[in-house]
Amino acid sequence: MSNEHILPFSLVEGNDDDAVLDQAALWLGEGRKVALATVVRTWGSGPRPAGSHLVVESGGDFMGSVSGGCIEAAVITEAKEVIAEGKPRTLDFGVSDAEAWDVGLACGGAIRIYVEPLI
Amino acid sequence: MRHELFRELQELRRRREPVALVTDLRDGAQALFVPGKGGLPGTLALSDEQSAAIAGMLHQSVSGPLDEILFVRSYAAPWTLLVVGAVHIAQFLAPMARLAGFDVTLIDPRRAFAAEHRFPGLDLIVGWPDEVMEQTAPPTRQTAVVTLAHDPKIDDPALFAALRSPAFYVGALGSARSHAKRVERLTAAGFGPADIARIAAPIGLDLGGRAPAEIAVSVLAEVVGARYGRQRVPR
């Protein structure tokens, strides 16, 4: 049985944290610019717990998840700006936030995400 | 995060040491926290009180705000699954458990079973499970031990070692009838009812499936439940 042909290599190689942080290390090793997004706080039914990581490289490739999918695109866009600026920023998504409706955090919860460049 | 700090975090995680990354969300100042060690790299000073609170979060494997300013990301030592018997079911269980975040080690004294081509990329130890579990891979409170060999010569020594350890889960493949015989052997070897009651047998949640992958799901599901303190429902 050979799982490499079925599953993403990095997932077979280790757990979720390993896969995300090792991918960041791999990209850094290739000289690519990288930002790390982390859920720092959740209110109500946040889809992913505090500590969940999403790693993004400047071209828009990413691995991991901070929301199960609903706000990933918005976070990736912000992460690319964080890479360009070289400074961290905090993002809030929730039902009271009109933009969050636009990007679709439909679960009724709210989350705060810290996005930092790896510099 | 600075590259140096990230490299140190990766190195600590590679060594399986529990570590927390503490971030000041106002200005991005950061420090790595390892219990019982001071002077780690970082730009953030922590008080004794904060250190104690972070140690508690790391012990519980919890990430979240320490206060309104500091965020703690816990990277606890990984949960481990020791699979005794590198059999067909193990070929499904091992990669599934890996995906679920477990460090997986397979133990089998039979070289033909514990063969690299059967378990690509997984940790294999050819040896007798009791010796391996005493010397190379001693179970901790973060370890689950499952015996799948279906051969008392291999499974029993593993169970002896597991029951002498603080493993959070011990499960044995086999029917209720074969477990009754196993109980006799364990009793003869000096294990009491409380020890024997630690063994989940027949192993796994009762999902009804009989295919190797389905049995693997039922075993992994029970191990995950045990990890979060869920009690086994007697069959």
Side-chain angles (χ1 to χ4, degrees), chain A residues 53-75:
Chain A
H53 286 313
L54 171 75
V55 66
V56 181
E57 68 81 54
S58 53
D61 285 346
F62 69 97
M63 181 172 251
S65 167
V66 287
S67 75
C70 47
I71 57 162
E72 253 68 14
V75 175

Side-chain angles (χ1 to χ4, degrees), chain A residues 28-102:
Chain A
L28 290 173
E30 292 169 355
R32 296 162 87 175
K33 296 195 183 312
V34 177
L36 180 67
T38 306
V39 176
V40 293
R41 201 155 189 176
T42 64
W43 293 267
S45 58
R48 295 272 287 152
S52 302
H53 286 313
L54 171 75
V55 66
V56 181
E57 68 81 54
S58 53
D61 285 346
F62 69 97
M63 181 172 251
S65 167
V66 287
S67 75
C70 47
I71 57 162
E72 253 68 14
V75 175
I76 290 163
T77 302
E78 297 267 358
K80 288 199 267 186
E81 292 174 18
V82 163
I83 290 169
E85 266 180 37
K87 278 193 225 148
R89 61 173 76 166
T90 302
L91 313 174
D92 280 298
F93 296 94
V95 288
S96 60
D97 179 344
E99 196 203 344
W101 276 118
D102 292 344

Side-chain angles (χ1 to χ4, degrees), chain A residues 1 13 17-18 51 53 119, chain B residues 3 13 73 75 91 98:
Chain A
M1 189 178 67
E13 279 303 294
D17 284 341
D18 289 336
H53 286 313
I119 48 177
Chain B
H3 280 178
R13 294 178 59 252
R73 176 55 165 95
Y75 300 92
Q91 289 181 277
R98 192 79 179 262

Side-chain angles (χ1 to χ4, degrees), chain B residues 28-119:
Chain B
Q30 286 175 318
L32 291 175
F33 176 83
V34 177
K37 285 191 192 170
L40 281 156
T43 52
L44 188 66
L46 299 168
S47 70
D48 290 350
E49 202 176 42
Q50 287 171 327
S51 295
I54 295 161
M57 290 176 75
L58 188 52
H59 185 68
Q60 305 278 321
S61 190
V62 171
S63 298
L66 184 68
D67 49 38
E68 287 305 310
I69 295 161
L70 297 181
F71 169 72
V72 178
R73 176 55 165 95
S74 291
Y75 300 92
W79 297 81
T80 302
L81 177 66
L82 296 183
V83 180
V84 175
V87 297
H88 197 196
I89 292 168
Q91 289 181 277
F92 293 86
L93 177 60
M96 283 181 190
R98 192 79 179 262
L99 285 170
F102 287 86
D103 262 10
V104 180
T105 298
L106 292 124
I107 306 168
D108 200 309
R110 303 164 295 182
R111 201 167 289 278
F113 283 73
E116 170 66 24
H117 70 272
R118 287 163 51 80
F119 298 93

Side-chain angles (χ1 to χ4, degrees), chain B residues 205-215 218:
Chain B
L205 300 184
D206 186 7
L207 302 181
R210 283 290 164 265
E214 292 170 340
I215 294 169
S218 97

